[in-house]
Amino acid sequence: MYVTPEQVTANSKASVEAMLAWANSNFAAIEKLAALNFNATKAVFEDSMSHAKALLNAKDVQELVNLNVAAAQPSLEKAIAYSRSVYELSTQQHGELTRFFESQAGEFNRSFVGLLDKYAKNAPAGSDVAVAAVKSALAAANSAYDSFSKVAKQAGEIAEANIAAATASVGKEKKKAA
């Protein structure tokens, strides 16, 4: 029933390695987001400068209106593409976070059940009811977590479908306008 120092060290090492992997994953996602933001900002700046130059070269009011109308649709498309990229990045990172916590929870459950089994072998008579109750509570918590995970996944799928529908709607509006 006793935990050896080697077991504690091994568990600690595994936990630290898992946390480092998760941190590296987060840093990579932050790096991607920073690059996405930089590129989007640079593109907006360049588009704004070229649009301003075009407006300065306009000869009449009608040409100004036409330039502004012509610039609106590409800007909207770029904003939608940016939003989609941010959404995809956040969805990917959320999936990695979910997998990380599921694996950690699974490892904790296995360790906890293992400790309970060791305790049950060396426990005084009559304590098997308490061990069974704890195992039952753990199983109920796992079941609730699984249900919550399924609901969260369905909500994510609905959000993704809504984004796809909104993108398709904008595309249809663009074709109608053209």
Side-chain angles (χ1 to χ4, degrees), residues 107-151:
E107 183 61 35
F108 173 78
N109 286 342
R110 283 188 291 279
S111 297
F112 189 69
V113 168
L115 286 174
L116 278 178
D117 289 340
K118 286 182 181 180
Y119 173 77
K121 289 179 184 176
N122 299 321
S127 62
D128 55 340
V129 174
V131 170
V134 171
K135 283 185 179 182
S136 176
L138 186 61
N142 286 337
S143 176
Y145 175 77
D146 289 342
S147 296
F148 176 75
S149 293
K150 288 176 185 176
V151 168

Short mmCIF file of all heavy atoms in Angstrom, two decimals, residues 107-151:
data_model
loop_
_atom_site.label_atom_id
_atom_site.label_comp_id
_atom_site.label_asym_id
_atom_site.label_seq_id
_atom_site.Cartn_x
_atom_site.Cartn_y
_atom_site.Cartn_z
N GLU A 107 -5.35 9.43 -16.59
CA GLU A 107 -4.20 8.98 -15.81
C GLU A 107 -4.48 9.10 -14.31
O GLU A 107 -4.16 8.21 -13.53
CB GLU A 107 -2.95 9.78 -16.17
CG GLU A 107 -1.70 9.33 -15.47
CD GLU A 107 -1.32 7.89 -15.80
OE1 GLU A 107 -1.54 7.46 -16.95
OE2 GLU A 107 -0.82 7.20 -14.89
N PHE A 108 -5.11 10.21 -13.91
CA PHE A 108 -5.46 10.38 -12.50
C PHE A 108 -6.43 9.29 -12.05
O PHE A 108 -6.26 8.71 -10.98
CB PHE A 108 -6.09 11.76 -12.28
CG PHE A 108 -6.62 11.93 -10.89
CD1 PHE A 108 -5.76 12.20 -9.84
CD2 PHE A 108 -7.98 11.82 -10.62
CE1 PHE A 108 -6.25 12.35 -8.54
CE2 PHE A 108 -8.47 11.97 -9.34
CZ PHE A 108 -7.61 12.23 -8.29
N ASN A 109 -7.43 9.00 -12.88
CA ASN A 109 -8.40 7.96 -12.53
C ASN A 109 -7.74 6.60 -12.37
O ASN A 109 -8.03 5.87 -11.43
CB ASN A 109 -9.51 7.89 -13.58
CG ASN A 109 -10.47 9.06 -13.48
OD1 ASN A 109 -10.53 9.74 -12.48
ND2 ASN A 109 -11.20 9.29 -14.55
N ARG A 110 -6.83 6.28 -13.30
CA ARG A 110 -6.13 4.99 -13.20
C ARG A 110 -5.29 4.94 -11.92
O ARG A 110 -5.29 3.93 -11.22
CB ARG A 110 -5.26 4.76 -14.43
CG ARG A 110 -6.03 4.33 -15.66
CD ARG A 110 -5.11 3.92 -16.80
NE ARG A 110 -4.38 5.06 -17.35
CZ ARG A 110 -4.87 5.92 -18.24
NH1 ARG A 110 -6.10 5.78 -18.66
NH2 ARG A 110 -4.13 6.92 -18.69
N SER A 111 -4.59 6.02 -11.63
CA SER A 111 -3.76 6.04 -10.42
C SER A 111 -4.61 5.95 -9.17
O SER A 111 -4.29 5.21 -8.24
CB SER A 111 -2.95 7.33 -10.37
OG SER A 111 -2.07 7.41 -11.44
N PHE A 112 -5.72 6.69 -9.17
CA PHE A 112 -6.59 6.70 -8.00
C PHE A 112 -7.22 5.33 -7.78
O PHE A 112 -7.26 4.83 -6.64
CB PHE A 112 -7.67 7.78 -8.17
CG PHE A 112 -8.48 8.01 -6.94
CD1 PHE A 112 -7.91 8.58 -5.82
CD2 PHE A 112 -9.81 7.63 -6.89
CE1 PHE A 112 -8.65 8.80 -4.67
CE2 PHE A 112 -10.56 7.85 -5.75
CZ PHE A 112 -9.98 8.42 -4.63
N VAL A 113 -7.69 4.70 -8.86
CA VAL A 113 -8.28 3.37 -8.73
C VAL A 113 -7.22 2.36 -8.29
O VAL A 113 -7.49 1.49 -7.47
CB VAL A 113 -8.95 2.94 -10.06
CG1 VAL A 113 -9.32 1.46 -10.04
CG2 VAL A 113 -10.19 3.78 -10.32
N GLY A 114 -6.00 2.52 -8.79
CA GLY A 114 -4.91 1.64 -8.36
C GLY A 114 -4.63 1.78 -6.87
O GLY A 114 -4.43 0.78 -6.17
N LEU A 115 -4.62 3.02 -6.39
CA LEU A 115 -4.42 3.24 -4.96
C LEU A 115 -5.57 2.66 -4.14
O LEU A 115 -5.35 2.08 -3.07
CB LEU A 115 -4.27 4.73 -4.66
CG LEU A 115 -2.94 5.35 -5.06
CD1 LEU A 115 -2.99 6.87 -4.85
CD2 LEU A 115 -1.80 4.74 -4.25
N LEU A 116 -6.80 2.83 -4.65
CA LEU A 116 -7.95 2.25 -3.95
C LEU A 116 -7.85 0.73 -3.87
O LEU A 116 -8.15 0.13 -2.83
CB LEU A 116 -9.25 2.64 -4.65
CG LEU A 116 -9.84 3.99 -4.34
CD1 LEU A 116 -11.09 4.23 -5.16
CD2 LEU A 116 -10.16 4.12 -2.86
N ASP A 117 -7.42 0.12 -4.97
CA ASP A 117 -7.27 -1.33 -4.97
C ASP A 117 -6.20 -1.78 -3.97
O ASP A 117 -6.37 -2.77 -3.25
CB ASP A 117 -6.93 -1.83 -6.37
CG ASP A 117 -8.12 -1.73 -7.32
OD1 ASP A 117 -9.27 -1.63 -6.84
OD2 ASP A 117 -7.89 -1.72 -8.55
N LYS A 118 -5.09 -1.03 -3.93
CA LYS A 118 -4.04 -1.36 -2.95
C LYS A 118 -4.56 -1.20 -1.53
O LYS A 118 -4.28 -2.02 -0.65
CB LYS A 118 -2.81 -0.47 -3.16
CG LYS A 118 -1.99 -0.83 -4.37
CD LYS A 118 -0.78 0.08 -4.47
CE LYS A 118 0.04 -0.24 -5.69
NZ LYS A 118 1.21 0.64 -5.81
N TYR A 119 -5.32 -0.13 -1.32
CA TYR A 119 -5.88 0.10 0.01
C TYR A 119 -6.85 -1.01 0.37
O TYR A 119 -6.84 -1.50 1.51
CB TYR A 119 -6.59 1.46 0.05
CG TYR A 119 -7.33 1.68 1.35
CD1 TYR A 119 -6.64 2.02 2.51
CD2 TYR A 119 -8.71 1.51 1.41
CE1 TYR A 119 -7.32 2.20 3.70
CE2 TYR A 119 -9.40 1.70 2.60
CZ TYR A 119 -8.69 2.04 3.74
OH TYR A 119 -9.36 2.20 4.92
N ALA A 120 -7.68 -1.42 -0.59
CA ALA A 120 -8.69 -2.44 -0.32
C ALA A 120 -8.05 -3.77 0.07
O ALA A 120 -8.58 -4.51 0.90
CB ALA A 120 -9.59 -2.62 -1.53
N LYS A 121 -6.89 -4.08 -0.51
CA LYS A 121 -6.21 -5.33 -0.18
C LYS A 121 -5.70 -5.35 1.26
O LYS A 121 -5.67 -6.39 1.90
CB LYS A 121 -5.02 -5.55 -1.13
CG LYS A 121 -5.43 -5.90 -2.54
CD LYS A 121 -4.21 -6.07 -3.42
CE LYS A 121 -4.63 -6.33 -4.85
NZ LYS A 121 -3.46 -6.41 -5.76
N ASN A 122 -5.29 -4.18 1.74
CA ASN A 122 -4.70 -4.10 3.08
C ASN A 122 -5.63 -3.46 4.11
O ASN A 122 -5.23 -3.25 5.25
CB ASN A 122 -3.39 -3.30 3.04
CG ASN A 122 -2.37 -3.96 2.15
OD1 ASN A 122 -2.25 -5.17 2.12
ND2 ASN A 122 -1.64 -3.15 1.40
N ALA A 123 -6.83 -3.15 3.71
CA ALA A 123 -7.75 -2.45 4.60
C ALA A 123 -8.40 -3.42 5.59
O ALA A 123 -8.48 -4.63 5.34
CB ALA A 123 -8.84 -1.78 3.77
N PRO A 124 -8.87 -2.86 6.68
CA PRO A 124 -9.56 -3.71 7.66
C PRO A 124 -10.88 -4.24 7.09
O PRO A 124 -11.42 -3.68 6.13
CB PRO A 124 -9.80 -2.78 8.85
CG PRO A 124 -9.55 -1.40 8.36
CD PRO A 124 -8.75 -1.49 7.11
N ALA A 125 -11.37 -5.28 7.70
CA ALA A 125 -12.62 -5.90 7.24
C ALA A 125 -13.75 -4.88 7.32
O ALA A 125 -13.83 -4.06 8.23
CB ALA A 125 -12.94 -7.10 8.11
N GLY A 126 -14.63 -4.90 6.33
CA GLY A 126 -15.78 -4.02 6.30
C GLY A 126 -15.54 -2.72 5.53
O GLY A 126 -16.48 -1.97 5.29
N SER A 127 -14.31 -2.45 5.15
CA SER A 127 -14.04 -1.20 4.43
C SER A 127 -14.29 -1.34 2.93
O SER A 127 -14.23 -0.35 2.21
CB SER A 127 -12.61 -0.74 4.68
OG SER A 127 -11.70 -1.70 4.19
N ASP A 128 -14.61 -2.56 2.49
CA ASP A 128 -14.86 -2.77 1.06
C ASP A 128 -16.09 -1.99 0.59
O ASP A 128 -16.16 -1.58 -0.57
CB ASP A 128 -14.99 -4.25 0.74
CG ASP A 128 -16.04 -4.95 1.57
OD1 ASP A 128 -16.40 -4.41 2.64
OD2 ASP A 128 -16.50 -6.03 1.16
N VAL A 129 -17.03 -1.73 1.49
CA VAL A 129 -18.22 -0.94 1.13
C VAL A 129 -17.80 0.49 0.82
O VAL A 129 -18.25 1.10 -0.16
CB VAL A 129 -19.27 -0.99 2.26
CG1 VAL A 129 -20.42 -0.06 1.96
CG2 VAL A 129 -19.76 -2.41 2.47
N ALA A 130 -16.92 1.06 1.63
CA ALA A 130 -16.45 2.43 1.41
C ALA A 130 -15.66 2.52 0.11
O ALA A 130 -15.81 3.48 -0.66
CB ALA A 130 -15.60 2.89 2.58
N VAL A 131 -14.83 1.55 -0.17
CA VAL A 131 -14.04 1.53 -1.40
C VAL A 131 -14.98 1.44 -2.60
O VAL A 131 -14.81 2.16 -3.60
CB VAL A 131 -13.03 0.37 -1.40
CG1 VAL A 131 -12.39 0.20 -2.76
CG2 VAL A 131 -11.98 0.59 -0.32
N ALA A 132 -15.98 0.59 -2.52
CA ALA A 132 -16.96 0.47 -3.61
C ALA A 132 -17.71 1.77 -3.81
O ALA A 132 -17.99 2.18 -4.95
CB ALA A 132 -17.92 -0.67 -3.33
N ALA A 133 -18.05 2.46 -2.73
CA ALA A 133 -18.76 3.74 -2.83
C ALA A 133 -17.89 4.79 -3.52
O ALA A 133 -18.37 5.55 -4.37
CB ALA A 133 -19.18 4.23 -1.45
N VAL A 134 -16.61 4.84 -3.19
CA VAL A 134 -15.71 5.80 -3.83
C VAL A 134 -15.56 5.47 -5.31
O VAL A 134 -15.58 6.36 -6.17
CB VAL A 134 -14.34 5.82 -3.11
CG1 VAL A 134 -13.33 6.63 -3.89
CG2 VAL A 134 -14.50 6.37 -1.70
N LYS A 135 -15.40 4.19 -5.64
CA LYS A 135 -15.30 3.79 -7.05
C LYS A 135 -16.59 4.13 -7.80
O LYS A 135 -16.54 4.58 -8.95
CB LYS A 135 -15.02 2.29 -7.16
CG LYS A 135 -13.59 1.93 -6.88
CD LYS A 135 -13.36 0.45 -7.12
CE LYS A 135 -11.93 0.05 -6.88
NZ LYS A 135 -11.71 -1.38 -7.16
N SER A 136 -17.72 3.95 -7.17
CA SER A 136 -19.01 4.29 -7.78
C SER A 136 -19.10 5.80 -8.03
O SER A 136 -19.56 6.24 -9.09
CB SER A 136 -20.16 3.82 -6.90
OG SER A 136 -21.39 4.22 -7.43
N ALA A 137 -18.67 6.59 -7.06
CA ALA A 137 -18.69 8.05 -7.22
C ALA A 137 -17.76 8.48 -8.34
O ALA A 137 -18.09 9.37 -9.14
CB ALA A 137 -18.29 8.72 -5.91
N LEU A 138 -16.61 7.84 -8.44
CA LEU A 138 -15.67 8.15 -9.51
C LEU A 138 -16.26 7.79 -10.87
O LEU A 138 -16.13 8.55 -11.83
CB LEU A 138 -14.36 7.41 -9.27
CG LEU A 138 -13.20 7.72 -10.20
CD1 LEU A 138 -12.82 9.19 -10.09
CD2 LEU A 138 -12.01 6.85 -9.86
N ALA A 139 -16.92 6.66 -10.95
CA ALA A 139 -17.57 6.25 -12.20
C ALA A 139 -18.67 7.24 -12.59
O ALA A 139 -18.82 7.60 -13.76
CB ALA A 139 -18.12 4.84 -12.08
N ALA A 140 -19.44 7.70 -11.60
CA ALA A 140 -20.50 8.69 -11.87
C ALA A 140 -19.91 10.00 -12.36
O ALA A 140 -20.44 10.64 -13.28
CB ALA A 140 -21.34 8.91 -10.62
N ALA A 141 -18.82 10.43 -11.75
CA ALA A 141 -18.16 11.67 -12.19
C ALA A 141 -17.63 11.53 -13.61
O ALA A 141 -17.75 12.45 -14.42
CB ALA A 141 -17.02 12.02 -11.23
N ASN A 142 -17.06 10.37 -13.93
CA ASN A 142 -16.57 10.13 -15.29
C ASN A 142 -17.72 10.14 -16.29
O ASN A 142 -17.59 10.67 -17.39
CB ASN A 142 -15.82 8.81 -15.37
CG ASN A 142 -14.46 8.90 -14.73
OD1 ASN A 142 -13.89 9.97 -14.61
ND2 ASN A 142 -13.94 7.76 -14.31
N SER A 143 -18.83 9.56 -15.91
CA SER A 143 -20.01 9.54 -16.79
C SER A 143 -20.53 10.96 -17.02
O SER A 143 -20.87 11.33 -18.15
CB SER A 143 -21.10 8.68 -16.17
OG SER A 143 -22.26 8.72 -16.95
N ALA A 144 -20.57 11.77 -15.97
CA ALA A 144 -21.02 13.16 -16.11
C ALA A 144 -20.07 13.94 -17.00
O ALA A 144 -20.49 14.73 -17.85
CB ALA A 144 -21.13 13.81 -14.73
N TYR A 145 -18.77 13.71 -16.84
CA TYR A 145 -17.79 14.39 -17.68
C TYR A 145 -17.94 13.99 -19.14
O TYR A 145 -17.86 14.84 -20.03
CB TYR A 145 -16.37 14.09 -17.19
CG TYR A 145 -15.32 14.68 -18.08
CD1 TYR A 145 -15.03 16.03 -18.03
CD2 TYR A 145 -14.63 13.89 -19.00
CE1 TYR A 145 -14.09 16.59 -18.87
CE2 TYR A 145 -13.69 14.44 -19.84
CZ TYR A 145 -13.41 15.78 -19.77
OH TYR A 145 -12.48 16.33 -20.62
N ASP A 146 -18.17 12.70 -19.39
CA ASP A 146 -18.38 12.24 -20.76
C ASP A 146 -19.60 12.90 -21.38
O ASP A 146 -19.57 13.32 -22.55
CB ASP A 146 -18.52 10.71 -20.81
CG ASP A 146 -17.21 10.00 -20.54
OD1 ASP A 146 -16.14 10.64 -20.66
OD2 ASP A 146 -17.26 8.80 -20.20
N SER A 147 -20.68 13.01 -20.62
CA SER A 147 -21.89 13.66 -21.12
C SER A 147 -21.61 15.14 -21.42
O SER A 147 -22.03 15.65 -22.46
CB SER A 147 -23.02 13.56 -20.09
OG SER A 147 -23.38 12.22 -19.89
N PHE A 148 -20.91 15.81 -20.52
CA PHE A 148 -20.56 17.21 -20.74
C PHE A 148 -19.69 17.36 -21.98
O PHE A 148 -19.89 18.29 -22.78
CB PHE A 148 -19.84 17.77 -19.51
CG PHE A 148 -19.38 19.18 -19.69
CD1 PHE A 148 -20.28 20.23 -19.65
CD2 PHE A 148 -18.04 19.45 -19.91
CE1 PHE A 148 -19.85 21.53 -19.82
CE2 PHE A 148 -17.60 20.75 -20.09
CZ PHE A 148 -18.51 21.80 -20.04
N SER A 149 -18.75 16.47 -22.18
CA SER A 149 -17.87 16.53 -23.35
C SER A 149 -18.66 16.37 -24.64
O SER A 149 -18.41 17.07 -25.62
CB SER A 149 -16.80 15.44 -23.27
OG SER A 149 -15.94 15.68 -22.21
N LYS A 150 -19.63 15.46 -24.63
CA LYS A 150 -20.45 15.27 -25.82
C LYS A 150 -21.28 16.51 -26.13
O LYS A 150 -21.39 16.92 -27.29
CB LYS A 150 -21.37 14.06 -25.64
CG LYS A 150 -20.63 12.73 -25.69
CD LYS A 150 -21.56 11.57 -25.43
CE LYS A 150 -20.77 10.27 -25.36
NZ LYS A 150 -21.60 9.13 -25.01
N VAL A 151 -21.84 17.14 -25.10
CA VAL A 151 -22.62 18.37 -25.30
C VAL A 151 -21.72 19.49 -25.82
O VAL A 151 -22.10 20.22 -26.74
CB VAL A 151 -23.33 18.78 -23.99
CG1 VAL A 151 -23.91 20.18 -24.09
CG2 VAL A 151 -24.42 17.78 -23.64
#
